[in-house]
Amino acid sequence: MRTRRRPDSARQSHRGPRDEHQARRGAYRRRERGPDDGGPRWAPAAALRSALSGRSVAGQVFVLQVVIVLLLVVAAVVALVLQVRHDSAQEARNRSLAVAETFANAPGTREALRASDPTAVLQPRAEAAREQSEVDFIVVMNTDGIRYTHPKPDRIGKRFVGNIEPALAGRSLTEEIEGTIGPLVQAVVPIKAPDGSVVGLVSAGITTANVGGVADRQLPLLLGAAAAALALATGGTALVSRRLLRQTGGLGPYEMTRMYEHHDAVLHAVREGVIIVSGEGRMLLANDEAHRLLDLPDDVDGRHVLDLGLDSDTAELMASGRVATDEVHLVGDRLLAINQRPTDRQGGPPGSVATLRDSTELRALSGRAEVARERLKLLYDAGVGLGTSLDVTRTAEALAEVAVPRFADFVTVDLADAVLGGEEPDAATDLRRTAFSGIRNDAPLYPVGEQISFVPSSPQARSLSTGQAVVEPDLKDAPGWLAQDLERSAQVLEYGIHSLITVPLRVGGLVMGVANFWRSQKPEPFDTEELALAEELVARAAVSMDNARRYTREHAMAETLQRSLLPRNLPEQSALDVAYRYLPAQAGVGGDWFDVLPLPGARVALVVGDVVGHGLHAAATMGRLRTAVHNFSALDLPPDELLGLLDELVARIDQDEAAEAGRAPVTGATCLYAIYDPTTRRCTVARAGHPLPALVGPDGSVEFPEVPAGPPLGLGGLPFETADLELTEDSRLVLFTDGLVEDRERDIDAGLERLRTALTGADRSPEDTCRAVLDAMLPDRQSDDIALIVARTRALGADRITDWQVPSDPAAVAEVRSSVARQLAEWGLDEMAFTTELILSELVTNAIRYSSGPIRIRLVHDRSLICEVFDNSSTSPHLRYAATTDEGGRGLFLVSQIAERWGTRYTLSGKIIWAEQALP
């Protein structure tokens, strides 16, 4: 009997679900097989048609992506077009303004306005400039708006169209208007005379058509780029959709079943509870984690959530179906964060889905993380704030302020007195309360400034001796702390302070003091973690405090050195009534100095100088320069020559120190040197890079006399010049350094005006003047040294000065002696007649022998008796020690023995030999 094969249709009709599933999977695999597998694979065209059909997920994704790309491209094109138009308009404004300002400031433009025919001069220039700058017009006009130039000659001589008021006020203007050549963007700028007045106007502009033309020319390029971008995006989207189609096409029930199984496995495996509730409030699904968190019974499916034995708040939330985000509910001993959303927002069935997350441990971790974050923030703020001051006390105050109330309720800092002075402390336990900060100011703790002697049992003394932090969690059970001061300790406990951490301020082996952290409001005592935080906080403060201590010591050393190098007392002299002030900078000692130097002939030299920089090096350099000025002044040189020698000295110092690593040059030193002669009331002044002096007249008027400015010392190359000032008696000459009139917040011109105001006023003594100037000029925080000298001039009357002309004849010496004797008798100095006659006889004889021409004698009756012999010889006499057999050579020796001082100074016409004798 022959067996007949059933047709494929019959066989297919008898297939079960599993067979159909296998068949569909086989078909899916056949679609994926390539030529090597014996069957065709998906063709690109077929894949694209399937994607474009929109019936599959891949097709929908493809359509959505193409739409999004198209919208992005359109938006990009619109944005680019608008941006190009905006940039073109802005470029038109900038170009118009630049061309107008360039033409207005061009050489010859202002002069052409004064010509008899400005148009003939300016029209060719304007047209040439217009063509080169690619603007549509350049118009020059007078202040009435009448045009001198225009691209269309028939418009010349007519009134300009636009707003010229801002330009007439000296400001440039850019505007968009409807002009004679159409809508345009134009700029109007003033043509200013040297005195700042506006003598004419220039306008340049571009029409709106040319502005928009740039965008129109760029639009095809933009559209082409957009089309290319769209094509590339579409191609990429097609490739992605093809790939997605290959990955998802042909999914059957089996694949969907497996997908459901996977989802169900994941749903019950996650560590987050999931609950689905119907619109009637009945439980549809609860995963394993939800059962565990809510302690649900096994038969919850279909039961109402209010009947599950949950707490009322949680049950009401799930039955209501309302939206909830991270609502925290206490369920048993757990804190659950519940999120709930409805399921019918997108047309789904009514109901809600809730997720539950156990946040008990998370809350604890979050709390600890927040505490750690706050502590790190505290340490960061301490690191930023504690190193900003180089003052020991301010650093201690910053430590106390940064810890209250974030770490402690009260903070006190106790330091050794040696630390406050910049020195290293000894091992004693006597400290001074330096800083206090608290949530209230009435705490019964030791006040700031009090000297405290800690008993050995106190936490502070133990911390100082061991160098380790000490924590007292409960002060009422701390006998060592209670023994410090029984009465005060009882007051502290009654106030509510109950816990203490004491940390030594230690850097290496150096212990400078202790920081005390007190707690009152928080009931918990300080713990070990807070002790570690306190140690870290104090360690950072200790480094800053040690830096401040070292700076204080160096600052004190530099200030001591500087004050030792400055004059302690002013020398006695009769030419000037002098008062002075010297104030070192708060941030560091600088190199300012001053001096008052008596000179022969009753004259006085005033000097003030400044070495740029701060610290020991600046102070030492200042001392070298001051010593050099003393030595050079002994040569009785004019101010310009003295500054020249000082300039050479600074240059040599720079050369010597340039060879030493780490040593800065002195370049930047300034100096002002003035010599006042009371016999002539003339003051000769020269300056090297120093501010001008101020001169206050007897009537209180103030001026800054012109003194030629020389370069700062050490630069060389330029000679110094002098200025001769004739000062009225009772005038006040004011010399100062730049720290008085200049700082970071005030330039020198404003400072000089303030100084002028402070000096204005008559009948002030030099002391009163110094006081008034500092009251008006001293800044809140002085960043540079200030040296100030106020000298009120005096004049020697004619009755205290006498002089004679002596012929160049040895016989005239006898007449000189007679005249001197008569003059001394008039002054009541008869007992000095013999020595004075002897001195003048020797000096005049020496002048007659070694010079030619007239000889003049001058006697000055001042604090001493001064004898001066003038001659026209530049040869200086030398003191010789004659042998017993020599007939001459003893004249100057006798003068040196009789007179207190003697010497020679040179003048433009010769020299002066002088001698001084003390008055009886």
Side-chain angles (χ1 to χ4, degrees):
M1 183 175 178
R2 297 175 60 185
T3 303
R4 298 179 61 184
R5 298 183 61 186
R6 289 179 296 180
D8 291 343
S9 59
R11 283 184 296 171
Q12 290 175 0
S13 63
H14 287 83
R15 288 176 181 170
R18 184 172 183 83
D19 295 331
E20 292 183 5
H21 169 68
Q22 296 291 346
R24 293 190 63 183
R25 291 189 64 186
Y28 177 69
R29 292 193 185 96
R30 285 194 299 272
R31 287 199 300 269
E32 288 191 321
R33 282 205 305 252
D36 296 337
D37 298 325
R41 65 171 59 189
W42 282 87
L48 184 59
R49 284 194 301 272
S50 178
L52 292 176
S53 66
R55 291 192 297 268
S56 64
V57 174
Q60 294 174 359
V61 171
F62 175 79
V63 173
L64 179 62
Q65 288 179 335
V66 170
V67 171
I68 292 174
V69 169
L70 183 60
L71 291 177
L72 291 176
V73 169
V74 171
V77 169
V78 172
L80 286 174
V81 170
L82 294 178
Q83 183 65 36
V84 168
R85 289 178 180 256
H86 174 270
D87 292 344
S88 300
Q90 187 63 35
E91 172 64 19
R93 286 173 169 268
N94 295 339
R95 185 187 301 176
S96 300
L97 182 61
V99 170
E101 289 180 343
T102 302
F103 195 89
N105 297 316
T109 301
R110 186 172 59 249
E111 290 76 10
L113 293 175
R114 296 195 297 266
S116 58
D117 187 3
T119 299
V121 179
L122 294 173
Q123 178 70 5
R125 297 182 183 178
E127 288 304 298
R130 179 180 64 82
E131 295 176 359
Q132 292 179 359
S133 58
E134 298 182 358
V135 297
D136 289 326
F137 68 89
I138 296 178
V139 174
V140 184
M141 68 197 88
N142 60 16
T143 55
D144 294 328
I146 303 303
R147 300 188 185 97
Y148 289 145
T149 67
H150 196 277
K152 297 181 179 180
D154 60 333
R155 309 291 171 86
I156 297 175
K158 296 181 180 180
R159 180 171 295 276
F160 175 73
V161 178
N163 185 8
I164 64 173
E165 295 300 327
L168 293 176
R171 302 189 304 273
S172 299
L173 170 69
T174 304
E175 59 181 352
E176 297 182 15
I177 66 166
E178 181 72 26
T180 59
I181 58 176
L184 52 86
V185 178
Q186 68 179 10
V188 183
V189 300
I191 303 175
K192 296 183 179 180
D195 60 355
S197 61
V198 177
V199 299
L201 306 173
V202 175
S203 175
I206 302 176
T207 60
T208 304
N210 288 337
V211 174
V214 176
D216 296 339
R217 291 192 298 272
Q218 294 179 351
L219 185 58
L221 178 62
L222 293 177
L223 293 177
L230 179 60
L232 290 175
T234 304
T237 302
L239 293 176
V240 172
S241 298
R242 179 190 177 195
R243 179 68 176 173
L244 182 60
L245 182 64
R246 294 182 60 187
Q247 294 295 329
T248 62
L251 289 179
Y254 177 74
E255 285 77 8
M256 299 301 296
T257 301
R258 289 194 63 188
M259 184 181 298
Y260 171 77
E261 292 173 351
H262 291 162
H263 289 176
D264 187 62
V266 171
L267 179 65
H268 292 282
V270 294
R271 291 295 306 273
E272 188 169 283
V274 179
I275 290 178
I276 301 178
V277 180
S278 68
E280 294 82 14
R282 298 189 176 276
M283 184 74 69
L284 299 180
L285 182 144
N287 70 347
D288 294 343
E289 185 68 7
H291 276 268
R292 186 183 71 85
L293 295 177
L294 296 177
D295 196 16
L296 296 174
D298 294 336
D299 56 341
V300 296
D301 293 345
R303 295 175 59 181
H304 202 282
V305 293
L306 298 178
D307 301 332
L308 299 178
L310 301 176
D311 66 281
S312 59
D313 292 339
T314 305
E316 290 176 0
L317 171 62
M318 294 181 180
S320 66
R322 64 179 173 84
V323 175
T325 302
D326 286 337
E327 280 193 17
V328 178
H329 290 255
L330 179 61
V331 179
D333 58 351
R334 296 186 179 93
L335 287 174
L336 301 183
I338 301 178
N339 291 273
Q340 183 167 276
R341 297 291 185 273
T343 58
D344 56 357
R345 287 187 172 180
Q346 303 297 330
S352 61
V353 177
T355 60
L356 302 88
R357 185 174 65 254
D358 189 354
S359 63
T360 306
E361 296 180 359
L362 182 61
R363 288 274 173 163
L365 291 174
S366 176
R368 288 196 292 271
E370 181 65 20
V371 171
R373 188 191 68 81
E374 288 295 331
R375 292 178 178 178
L376 289 175
K377 181 68 166 54
L378 173 62
L379 292 176
Y380 172 78
D381 293 342
V384 172
L386 291 175
T388 58
S389 174
L390 290 175
D391 182 81
V392 176
T393 301
R394 182 68 196 107
T395 303
E397 292 172 348
L399 169 61
E401 292 167 359
V402 76
V404 175
R406 300 160 65 180
F407 178 68
D409 297 323
F410 301 94
V411 177
T412 58
V413 180
D414 306 323
L415 299 175
D417 286 335
V419 175
L420 298 176
E423 303 298 329
E424 293 186 1
D426 53 19
T429 57
D430 290 350
L431 302 178
R432 186 174 300 279
R433 180 60 46 90
T434 306
F436 167 83
S437 180
I439 56 176
R440 295 188 300 273
N441 295 324
D442 57 347
L445 301 170
Y446 288 111
V448 173
E450 183 165 341
Q451 186 81 17
I452 308 172
S453 180
F454 291 105
V455 298
S457 63
S458 66
Q460 290 83 357
R462 285 185 285 148
S463 181
L464 289 172
S465 60
T466 62
Q468 301 297 321
V470 177
V471 58
E472 293 288 356
D474 192 352
L475 291 177
K476 68 177 181 295
D477 295 330
W481 174 78
L482 293 171
Q484 171 66 35
D485 188 337
L486 295 178
E487 182 180 357
R488 187 179 295 274
S489 299
Q491 295 174 354
V492 170
L493 292 175
E494 183 180 358
Y495 187 79
I497 297 176
H498 60 83
S499 189
L500 165 67
I501 293 178
T502 295
V503 185
L505 286 156
R506 185 183 64 181
V507 177
L510 177 66
V511 179
M512 297 174 287
V514 292
N516 308 296
F517 301 89
W518 312 82
R519 174 170 287 176
S520 64
Q521 285 193 334
K522 189 176 180 181
E524 294 82 5
F526 286 116
D527 56 24
T528 54
E529 291 185 1
E530 290 169 324
L531 176 63
L533 175 62
E535 289 178 329
E536 178 66 22
L537 184 63
V538 173
R540 300 190 180 195
V543 173
S544 299
M545 199 168 296
D546 187 54
N547 291 337
R549 179 190 65 81
R550 294 173 183 270
Y551 173 79
T552 301
R553 181 183 61 186
E554 293 182 1
H555 180 78
M557 292 172 57
E559 186 173 347
T560 301
L561 172 63
Q562 187 179 42
R563 290 193 180 276
S564 67
L565 296 174
L566 291 172
R568 293 180 174 83
N569 297 300
L570 296 182
E572 296 182 354
Q573 44 83 30
S574 303
L576 297 169
D577 180 13
V578 180
Y580 67 92
R581 294 289 188 277
Y582 173 75
L583 300 176
Q586 296 179 7
V589 174
D592 292 13
W593 91 93
F594 67 92
D595 225 327
V596 180
L597 306 173
L599 298 177
R603 297 169 303 137
V604 176
L606 299 175
V607 59
V608 63
D610 182 8
V611 176
V612 174
H614 295 85
L616 288 173
H617 178 64
T621 303
M622 175 271 292
R624 298 168 73 177
L625 295 182
R626 179 171 176 259
T627 302
V629 172
H630 267 267
N631 294 332
F632 293 151
S633 67
L635 301 175
D636 208 350
L637 298 173
D640 54 341
E641 295 184 18
L642 185 142
L643 289 182
L645 294 176
L646 201 62
D647 180 67
E648 295 179 4
L649 171 66
V650 172
R652 288 198 300 272
I653 293 175
D654 285 347
Q655 292 174 0
D656 295 340
E657 294 186 348
E660 300 182 25
R663 297 297 300 273
V666 186
T667 302
T670 66
C671 183
L672 185 145
Y673 190 82
I675 297 177
Y676 175 69
D677 188 347
T679 63
T680 61
R681 293 183 289 103
R682 298 188 68 83
C683 183
T684 304
V685 187
R687 62 188 180 112
H690 204 80
L692 289 169
L695 182 61
V696 185
D699 58 352
S701 61
V702 181
E703 64 174 323
F704 295 95
E706 287 296 330
V707 178
L713 299 175
L715 297 182
L718 294 175
F720 298 98
E721 301 180 37
T722 61
D724 290 328
L725 311 175
E726 185 171 351
L727 307 183
T728 308
E729 189 174 4
D730 289 331
S731 297
R732 281 168 288 165
L733 185 63
V734 182
L735 310 182
F736 51 88
T737 55
D738 59 355
L740 181 67
V741 295
E742 185 178 19
D743 56 32
R744 294 178 180 177
E745 299 179 356
R746 177 180 62 194
D747 60 22
I748 191 170
D749 293 332
L752 289 176
E753 286 303 315
R754 289 186 60 181
L755 178 61
R756 182 194 300 272
T757 303
L759 290 174
T760 302
D763 298 331
R764 282 184 183 173
S765 66
E767 281 291 337
D768 293 339
T769 304
C770 286
R771 190 178 303 109
V773 168
L774 292 184
D775 289 344
M777 303 292 295
L778 199 62
D780 295 335
R781 179 165 179 81
Q782 184 183 334
S783 60
D784 196 5
D785 290 7
I786 293 177
L788 172 66
I789 300 178
V790 179
R792 183 166 59 188
T793 61
R794 298 170 180 165
L796 285 178
D799 58 335
R800 301 176 71 86
I801 304 172
T802 184
D803 58 1
W804 304 276
Q805 292 290 338
V806 179
S808 183
D809 184 0
V813 176
E815 180 60 27
V816 169
R817 288 197 293 267
S818 300
S819 301
V820 168
R822 288 192 299 270
Q823 184 62 53
L824 293 180
E826 292 181 9
W827 287 343
L829 301 175
D830 300 273
E831 58 188 76
M832 300 182 65
F834 175 74
T835 57
T836 304
E837 290 176 10
L838 180 59
I839 289 173
L840 285 177
S841 297
E842 294 298 333
L843 296 181
V844 171
T845 301
N846 197 2
I848 292 173
R849 178 177 300 175
Y850 295 106
S851 67
S852 60
I855 298 171
R856 186 166 67 91
I857 297 175
R858 186 173 75 164
L859 290 181
V860 180
H861 182 195
D862 191 30
R863 301 178 67 88
S864 61
L865 182 62
I866 304 171
C867 303
E868 297 177 335
V869 177
F870 299 74
D871 62 50
N872 60 1
S873 173
S874 60
T875 303
S876 176
H878 296 282
L879 179 64
R880 294 190 303 169
Y881 298 92
T884 55
T885 58
D886 291 342
E887 295 183 0
R890 296 177 178 83
L892 289 180
F893 178 76
L894 291 175
V895 172
S896 67
Q897 295 298 311
I898 297 172
E900 279 194 339
R901 296 191 306 161
W902 76 279
T904 305
R905 71 175 184 270
Y906 293 93
T907 65
L908 295 176
S909 59
K911 69 176 182 296
I912 302 172
I913 305 177
W914 56 269
E916 291 186 6
Q917 302 176 77
L919 297 178

